[in-house]
Amino acid sequence: MSGRNSSPIITATAVTRSYGQGRGLAGVDLTVEAAEIVAILGPNGAGKTTLVEILEGLRYRDDGHVQVLGQDPEHADRHFRSRIGAVLQLGTETDEFTVSEMLRAHSAYYPAPLPMSEVVDLLDLAELLDQRVSRLSGGQRRRLDIALGIVGDPELLFLDEPTTGLDPEVRRTIWRLIRRLADNGTTVVLTTHYLDEVEHLADRTIVLIAGAVVWEGPTSGLTDDSGHSVVKFRLRPPTAISDLPPCLGQPKALSNNLVSFETNEPGPLVAELMAWANEQPDGAPIEQLQIGRPSLEDAYLNLLQTAHTESEPRA
Amino acid sequence: MNQHTNELHSVRQQRGTAVVSLGLLRAKLELIALLRSKDAVIFTLALPVMLLLLFGAIFSDTLDGTDVTVGQWFTPGIIAASVLSAGFVNLATSMAMERHDGTLRRLALTPLPAASYLLGKVLMTFALAVGMTVVLLTVGVAAFDVAFPSSRSDLATFGWVFLLGVAAAAVFGIALSSLPHSGKSAAVVFTPPFLFLQFISGVFIEFNSIPPWLRAFAGFFPLRWLAAGMRSVFLPDQFEAAAEPGGSYELATGAGVLGLWVIVGFALAVRAFHFGRERPNSRSVRHA
C-alpha cells in the first residue's frame, strides 16, 4: 500500500448544513488520523449520512472547513476519488453480472487498483467468482460490496452501516475483515447504529445526535465517562416495582419485573435493598442481583436522553 | 511548444483516451446487463414485433390511392417508434432506476468520469436501436414484402434519420431520467407520453388522416419527423404524393427539427445530469 503521512486524514471544523426543519448539521468538528477506525454513531436522521457525503464530496456544506486527504472534497476530482473507497449496498441492476465481472469492471475505473487475486483472497471470494450477483446470500453480497470499495486500493474507506441485516456469524467475519484493512494502514470511517459494531470495531467514536457531536473519544471511554455503576435485579411476583422503598431512589424498569438503579455508591444501595428485602414476610423477593458498570448501550441511551431533554424546551 | 505545454497536451490526450475507453467498457457492461435480463429483452423486442404482425394481419388491404399494404406502411413507423423508445423509454428508465437504487452514487464515488458513464448509455441506446431496427426490418421484409432501400440516396437518408433519431432519443432520455420520483415509477412515467406521441405522429394512424392542428402539434416532437423519414426510405415513391400531408415528407424540415432536438436535448441533459453529486448552485438535490 502507498505511503501514509502523519497529518490527519480528515479534519473538519464547524461544518454546517441545513435542510430546514432543524435537520442537517449544526457545526460538526471531526478529526481522523491515519489507520484509525472511527465510528459515527447516532439514531436515524441524526445527520450521519449527510456528514459522510460531505466528506466524500457528494454533498456541499453551508459553512465550515473540510480537508480530506489534504484536499477540499468540494473540489473532488478523479485523483481524489481514486484515493477514497466507499462501501455501499449493491443495487439490483447488478444482479445479472458475475462477481468477477463486477470486480474487473470496478478495478478498471481506478488508476492503480489492487491485484485482483489480493482482493479475492482478502474477502474470500474465490469460490464465488463465477456466481451471478443475484444468487449471492446477504453476507456474500456484503463481502462483494466491501471488495468493490477497496479494489482501488483506497487510503480512506467509508463504510455505511456495513453489517445491517446480517446474521451474527457473518457480522463477525465482516468485522474481522475491516479490522484487517485498518491493520494494513487503511483509514476507516463507518456509520452505524449498532453498539456492538462500535464496541468491536471502532478505535474512536463520535456520537452524532440531531446534527451535533454530543460525545467524542476513544470507544472505551464512552462507558467510563459516566463514572457510576448499575445495580440490576429481578423482582419475584407478586412484588411490584411500586413496593420498593423510596429511600433507594428512582428505579428504572427495564421490563415488567427487571429493575435497575444507577448510582455512584453501589454498596450502601445494595445494603438498603437487602435490608428491605429481608423484612418482607414471604422472604426476599429478589433474584439475579448484579452490580456492574453501565453497558455501552446504557451510556448511549443516556446520551440520547440527555440530548432529547436539552432540545425539548426549544421544540 | 515548450515542454510544459507538451506534457499538458499529452495528459489531456490520455484523459480523453481514458474517457473513451472507459465509455466503451461501460457500453459493454450495459449490453451484457441488457442481454442477460431476458424479461427486458423480450418485452422490448417482442412488443413492436407483435404490433407489426398484428397490424399487418388484421388490416390486409392497401392504403387509399396507393398499392402500399398496411404491413408495409406500418414497418417504417414502428421502426421509428422503436428507435425513439430505445432512448426515450429504455435509457430514461434505466437511468432513473440507477439514480434511485444507489448505482449512480456508487459510480460517482469512483474515478469513473461522468462522460464515460454517459457515453456507455448512448452507445447502449445506439446498439439497442440497431438491434430493434434489424429485427423489425427482417419481419417487415419477410412478412410484408417491405423493399430494402436500394438507392444510394435512400440509404443516406436512412443513415442520417437513424443517427439523428438515436441522438435525440438518447439526450432526451438522459434529460428526462431525473423526473421520476422513484425507480419503480420510471416505466409508468415514460410510457404514456410515448404512447401519445405514437398516436399523433403517424405511427399507429395514417398521418394524413390526423386533424391538421394535431399534426402541427406533433411537428414539435421528433417522432413525427423520424417516422416520415423512415417512410421516405421504405415506401415506394408514389406514397409521398398520394398519402403524405401536402404531398411531401418534408425531409429538410425534419432534419432541422431533429437537429434542434439533439442540441436542446444535449443542453438539458448536461444540466439535468449530476452523477449523484450535488451541484454548488443547486442544493435542492434529492437524497440519492
Side-chain angles (χ1 to χ4, degrees), chain B residues 264-285:
Chain B
V264 172
F266 184 76
L268 285 178
V270 168
R271 284 179 63 90
F273 183 71
H274 52 75
F275 207 14
R277 294 176 197 130
E278 218 175 20
R279 288 216 169 131
N281 51 357
S282 73
R283 304 204 162 188
S284 59
V285 163

Side-chain angles (χ1 to χ4, degrees), chain A residues 60 78 88 93 96 101, chain B residues 36 103 105-106 111 278:
Chain A
Y60 285 82
R78 286 192 71 196
L88 302 157
E93 95 298 347
E96 304 304 330
E101 284 168 337
Chain B
R36 284 190 191 158
T103 306
R105 189 175 182 275
R106 163 190 298 274
E278 218 175 20

